[in-house]
């Protein structure tokens, strides 16, 4: 089924072709968007404004001309011209009715598969060994998981890859800490916390104390050259960390296809650097091996140069350090080779915070110089802030770890459930609190514009009002309660619909647009497009529910309203599922 946007675009293009002017640019396609203000129509096109200048006519005149040529009576009422030359469309009720029937009977709810399926590898979450996952990892984990779900639903082959930071200097630091400062008692109580303490303590000394610095680097070399004792410790740290992360993934319902650490690529780094040298992509400089700009890009777009005091200076990507060690960047270059050659990914998405944006720009430039044939994209995001607009911290001033944030969310949700839901058993209350708490943390993340910082507010995310998970879940639960009251989960609903009230029409149009919204999420990797849509759908449902009695209605009115409740219920559940949120049936 073509979406309404596609159908209107098709018809508009046919009309424009009939103008038969050589002044219409070749391959021109009209743009149609859902109207922001539905008082004047459901959809809108600026085609006449876009073409008028080239054709030497006034936009409004051209709009009238296009409308005359349009064959569209089967889908909408006579289009109207608005403002400087917009063409507004109002869809016919019978078109909406037949779409609602199609959507409610189709498991894809009107969302078509992509016509261009790809193999997409998504690199997300990617915590580091010997450190608990902290709140900073939350954005990557939740956004990445949502993109995996949406990509798969649209028919792409998606590989969820957890690129663990398990190699390099930080591990040497923890090994040094373990050998010199371990508190056995604390370790047996809370191993990850103790490893983190060791890491933080040693890292501080590492920067200021030359002896410690040297000893840590020695530990790193010992590990990387395969010393058995070091490897055993490293494995132990890795198991402890991953067991901690796994608990969080289980709670969040997140599954990875691949969990390869940076260590996996270690043996490939030496040969890679040799290859870069022999291809003349890298060169020796000051004892290190670096990739410099090859001047193919304009300096302002080239991440391997920077402007200082009016002059462009090199900022090379260092792939082998003076001491012979390799970098984060070297590993990432080798990882691209593996993903492109072995896994055969067409697209690789890196869901990583924006502090790493220079790293990824340089990485992609090295890939371009190497003529790597894949589409690489950094899906970056900003920080999570506290109420004070500074990076979110615990009351004690430390970076909160994700496990305790999730627990606090569920505990707080439980209080809300205790206040509001009296008819549930204790077990049901636990279940609902878990779903609301985890859903609230996810929704707070996914309803934000990805690129900006956002304020983490318990009160806001757990409120039953506004663009929040509890509000969305409440709308879904309301749809379910109608069918519970009816005593029939899937009552017989016929195709005879009649949409007459405004509130019925509004919610119907929203339902018809689900198929337009979902593909858009992947075009710019913005889950908040879906969250905003679901919020508007939930709002339309609340007004519909207040204005249009369902169970007390009769005949075709009742049939129509039941159909709308059923379809809304299905779309809300499905859309929340794409966000990784699984609402309870009652609360
Ligand atoms: N482990 C890194 C960190 O916590 C993120 C890794 C992101 N992925 C990558 N391929 N570089 O900052």
């Amino acid at each position: 089924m073509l979406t309404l946007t596609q159908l209107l675009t098709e018809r508009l293009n046919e009309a424009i072709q009939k103008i038969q002017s050589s002044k219409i640019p070749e391959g021109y396609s009209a743009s149609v968007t859902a109207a922001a203000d539905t008082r004047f129509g459901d959809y809108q096109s600026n085609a006449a404004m876009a073409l008028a200048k080239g054709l030497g006519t006034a936009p409004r005149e051209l709009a009238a001309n296009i409308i005359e040529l349009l064959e569209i009576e089967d889908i909408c009422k006579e289009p109207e011209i608005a403002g400087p030359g917009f063409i507004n469309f109002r869809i016919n009720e019978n078109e909406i009715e037949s779409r609602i029937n199609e959507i409610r009977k189709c498991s894809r709810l009107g969302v078509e598969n992509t016509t261009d399926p790809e193999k997409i590898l998504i690199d997300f979450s990617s915590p580091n060994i010997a450190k608990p996952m902290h709140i900073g990892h939350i954005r990557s984990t939740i956004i990445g998981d949502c993109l995996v779900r949406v990509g798969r639903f649209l028919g792409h082959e998606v590989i969820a890859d957890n690129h663990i930071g398990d190699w390099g200097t930080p591990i040497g630091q923890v090994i040094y800490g373990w050998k010199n400062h371990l508190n056995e008692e604390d370790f047996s109580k809370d191993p990850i916390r103790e490893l983190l303490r060791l890491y933080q303590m040693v890292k501080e000394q590492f920067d200021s104390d030359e002896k410690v610095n040297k000893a840590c680097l020695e530990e790193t070399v010992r590990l990387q050259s395969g010393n058995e004792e070091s490897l055993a410790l490293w494995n132990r740290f890795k198991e402890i960390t991953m067991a901690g992360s796994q608990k969080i993934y289980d709670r969040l319902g997140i599954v990875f296809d691949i969990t390869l650490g940076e260590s996996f690529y270690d043996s490939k780094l030496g040969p890679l650097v040799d290859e870069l040298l022999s291809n003349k992509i890298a060169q020796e400089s000051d004892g290190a091996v670096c990739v410099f700009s090859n001047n193919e890009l304009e300096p302002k777009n080239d991440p391997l140069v920077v402007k200082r005091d009016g002059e462009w200076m090199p900022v090379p990507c260092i792939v082998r350090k003076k001491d012979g060690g390799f970098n984060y960047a070297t590993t990432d270059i080798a990882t691209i080779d593996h993903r492109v050659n072995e896994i055969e990914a067409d697209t690789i998405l890196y869901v990583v915070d924006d502090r790493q944006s220079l790293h990824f720009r340089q990485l992609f430039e090295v890939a371009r110089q190497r003529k790597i044939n894949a589409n690489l994209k950094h899906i970056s995001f900003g920080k999570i802030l506290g109420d004070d607009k500074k990076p979110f911290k615990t009351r004690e001033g430390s970076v909160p770890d994700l496990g305790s944030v999730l627990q606090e969310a569920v505990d707080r949700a439980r209080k809300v459930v205790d206040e509001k839901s009296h008819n549930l058993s204790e077990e049901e209350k636990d279940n609902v609190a878990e779903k609301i708490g985890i859903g609230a943390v996810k929704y707070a993340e996914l309803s934000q514009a990805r690129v900006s910082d956002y304020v983490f507010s318990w009160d806001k995310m757990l409120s039953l009002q506004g663009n929040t998970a509890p509000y969305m879940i409440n709308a879904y639960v309301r749809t379910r309660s109608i069918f519970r009251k009816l005593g029939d989960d899937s009552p017989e609903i016929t195709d005879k619909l009649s949409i007459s009230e405004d509130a019925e029409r509004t919610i119907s149009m929203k339902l018809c647009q689900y198929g337009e919204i979902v593909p858009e999420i992947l075009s710019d990797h913005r889950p908040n497009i879906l969250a905003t849509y679901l919020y508007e759908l939930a709002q339309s449902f609340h007004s519909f529910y207040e204005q249009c009695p369902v169970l007390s209605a009769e005949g075709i009115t009742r049939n129509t309203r039941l159909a709308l409740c059923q379809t809304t219920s299905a779309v809300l559940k499905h859309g929340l599922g794409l966000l990784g949120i699984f609402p309870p049936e009652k609360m």
Side-chain angles (χ1 to χ4, degrees):
M1 171 173 64
L2 291 182
T3 63
L4 283 165
T5 308
Q6 288 166 332
L7 194 57
L8 293 171
T9 308
E10 205 174 88
R11 299 290 176 91
L12 257 179
N13 285 338
E14 283 163 15
I16 291 167
Q17 294 226 313
K18 289 192 204 144
I19 299 177
Q20 279 186 344
S21 162
S22 57
K23 294 192 183 115
I24 294 173
E26 219 178 272
Y28 174 80
S29 177
S31 119
V32 174
T33 53
D37 186 343
T38 49
R39 277 176 304 171
F40 308 110
D42 302 313
Y43 288 87
Q44 184 166 70
S45 176
N46 63 357
M49 289 140 76
L51 291 172
K53 203 161 175 216
L55 289 167
T57 47
R60 286 187 67 101
E61 206 174 297
L62 180 61
N65 192 358
I66 294 175
I67 290 175
E68 219 155 273
L69 295 167
L70 257 174
E71 290 181 33
I72 207 160
E73 323 60 68
D74 55 332
I75 322 170
C76 62
K77 309 195 168 58
E78 172 80 5
E80 284 172 9
I81 305 172
F86 286 108
I87 304 176
N88 285 343
F89 303 93
R90 187 175 293 279
I91 308 298
N92 285 334
E93 275 66 37
N94 56 9
E95 174 67 24
I96 303 178
E97 288 153 10
S98 79
R99 279 177 181 263
I100 293 293
N101 279 329
E102 261 197 68
I103 295 169
R104 83 188 164 80
K105 287 186 217 160
C106 137
S107 62
R108 296 191 58 85
L109 300 165
V111 186
E112 293 291 332
N113 264 307
T114 174
T115 50
D116 185 16
E118 286 190 44
K119 201 181 237 195
I120 306 177
L121 185 142
I122 307 186
D123 174 328
F124 69 104
S125 195
S126 309
N128 301 314
I129 293 293
K131 302 186 204 169
M133 267 213 262
H134 59 73
I135 182 100
H137 287 111
I138 200 172
R139 301 203 70 177
S140 172
T141 306
I142 294 174
I143 296 171
D145 177 58
C146 172
L147 297 178
V148 170
R149 291 173 194 275
V150 173
R152 284 198 183 132
F153 176 58
L154 289 173
H156 296 287
E157 185 180 342
V158 181
I159 296 146
D161 186 351
N162 198 356
H163 188 73
I164 311 289
D166 66 349
W167 212 231
T169 328
I171 314 290
Q173 292 165 338
V174 187
I175 296 181
Y176 172 84
W178 174 274
K179 289 186 179 170
N180 295 284
H181 304 286
L182 176 69
N183 179 328
E184 305 235 5
E185 205 186 315
D186 287 352
F187 179 75
S188 63
K189 272 193 228 133
D190 190 347
I192 301 195
R193 197 138 289 291
E194 175 60 5
L195 292 181
L196 175 65
R197 185 190 70 87
L198 292 174
Y199 168 72
Q200 284 173 334
M201 178 173 104
V202 176
K203 190 173 179 309
E204 221 165 84
Q205 301 173 354
F206 181 87
D207 296 330
S208 57
D209 183 334
E210 219 169 285
K211 263 199 355 237
V212 176
N213 186 299
K214 199 163 154 255
C216 290
L217 293 178
E218 277 165 17
E219 288 298 354
T220 311
V221 172
R222 201 168 296 148
L223 170 71
Q224 299 192 339
S225 57
N227 175 283
E228 261 177 45
E229 187 200 9
S230 317
L231 280 174
L233 277 178
W234 170 71
N235 264 320
R236 192 160 171 202
F237 298 162
K238 196 162 164 161
E239 265 164 34
I240 293 169
T241 316
M242 290 317 290
S245 304
Q246 194 53 47
K247 270 195 211 141
I248 291 172
Y249 295 139
D250 289 345
R251 199 159 197 191
L252 292 171
I254 290 180
V255 179
F256 290 94
D257 302 302
I258 303 182
T259 301
L260 290 180
E262 292 174 12
S263 62
F264 173 80
Y265 302 94
D266 185 57
S267 64
K268 308 182 187 336
L269 305 184
L272 170 71
V273 172
D274 292 342
E275 180 220 287
L276 294 173
L277 280 168
S278 67
N279 291 344
K280 306 244 168 338
I281 287 178
Q283 48 188 291
E284 287 202 30
S285 165
D286 243 346
V289 179
C290 308
V291 180
F292 288 92
S293 164
N294 66 359
N295 302 316
E296 282 175 10
L297 298 182
E298 266 193 70
K300 67 173 176 15
N301 298 327
D302 190 338
L304 297 173
V305 293
V306 66
K307 201 170 201 167
R308 260 189 223 120
D309 301 328
E311 260 186 78
W312 291 103
M313 309 292 285
V315 229
C317 171
I318 303 175
V319 292
R320 195 171 73 204
K321 292 182 280 191
K322 251 190 198 161
D323 65 9
F326 302 108
N327 275 338
Y328 184 51
T330 330
T331 303
D332 258 328
I333 302 171
T335 308
I336 293 183
D337 283 348
H338 180 77
R339 290 170 175 173
V340 173
N341 301 332
E342 308 301 321
I343 300 179
E344 300 182 330
D346 305 303
T347 290
I348 306 174
L349 305 178
Y350 297 85
V351 189
V352 185
D353 72 79
D354 57 12
R355 287 169 309 174
Q356 296 196 24
S357 86
L358 179 63
H359 165 74
F360 285 109
R361 288 179 61 226
Q362 292 198 333
L363 178 67
F364 300 166
E365 171 53 12
V366 175
R368 191 193 67 82
Q369 292 194 15
R370 297 178 72 216
K371 306 203 170 23
I372 298 287
N373 186 17
N375 178 16
L376 309 175
K377 199 162 179 222
H378 179 195
I379 311 299
S380 73
F381 48 82
K383 290 182 281 300
I384 301 185
L385 307 176
D387 285 333
D388 55 359
K389 303 270 157 59
K390 298 213 179 96
F392 188 60
K393 295 240 166 78
T394 60
R395 246 179 244 126
E396 297 74 43
S398 61
V399 182
D401 84 274
L402 185 46
S404 22
V405 169
L406 294 179
Q407 188 53 47
E408 181 160 357
V410 172
D411 292 345
R412 285 175 183 254
R414 176 67 204 238
K415 284 201 190 110
V416 178
V417 173
D418 279 338
E419 274 165 34
K420 308 259 173 193
S421 315
H422 304 294
N423 306 331
L424 300 181
S425 69
E426 287 303 298
E427 199 188 334
E428 283 171 328
K429 282 185 187 171
D430 283 345
N431 177 32
V432 169
E434 179 77 18
K435 290 187 151 144
I436 294 181
I438 300 295
V441 174
K442 288 191 179 186
Y443 195 83
E445 170 59 55
L446 295 169
S447 54
Q448 303 298 321
R450 164 170 64 73
V451 286
S452 29
D453 297 345
Y454 78 92
V455 175
F456 190 94
S457 155
W458 288 117
D459 291 343
K460 201 172 148 228
M461 80 172 71
L462 285 162
S463 163
L464 277 156
Q465 297 308 323
N467 191 6
T468 65
Y471 178 81
M472 306 298 305
I473 291 176
N474 191 28
Y476 173 73
V477 166
R478 245 183 199 190
T479 64
R480 296 322 309 155
S481 77
I482 293 169
F483 295 95
R484 248 197 320 279
K485 272 189 212 139
L486 186 68
D488 187 352
D489 218 27
S490 45
E492 169 129 355
I493 295 171
T494 73
D495 280 358
K496 280 218 166 66
L497 306 184
S498 163
I499 290 169
S500 46
E501 300 285 326
D502 279 351
E504 292 169 343
R505 196 179 188 286
T506 306
I507 191 156
S508 302
M509 275 310 298
K510 275 269 153 245
L511 292 169
C512 291
Q513 285 163 351
Y514 190 53
E516 299 175 352
I517 291 295
V518 178
E520 247 186 74
I521 306 167
L522 271 208
S523 59
D524 203 16
H525 310 97
R526 286 177 195 274
N528 67 320
I529 294 178
L530 177 57
T532 305
Y533 166 83
L534 291 172
Y535 178 47
E536 287 169 5
L537 178 65
Q539 282 179 314
S540 322
F541 181 73
H542 284 305
S543 344
F544 161 79
Y545 189 78
E546 271 154 35
Q547 290 163 38
C548 305
V550 182
L551 297 181
S552 60
E554 284 172 13
I556 192 167
T557 307
R558 175 184 161 105
N559 188 62
T560 305
R561 291 178 183 173
L562 277 174
L564 293 178
C565 291
Q566 194 185 50
T567 318
T568 305
S569 189
V571 171
L572 280 176
K573 182 173 185 171
H574 189 268
L576 287 171
L578 288 179
L579 298 178
I581 298 171
F582 302 95
E585 294 294 298
K586 47 183 181 175
M587 70 191 238

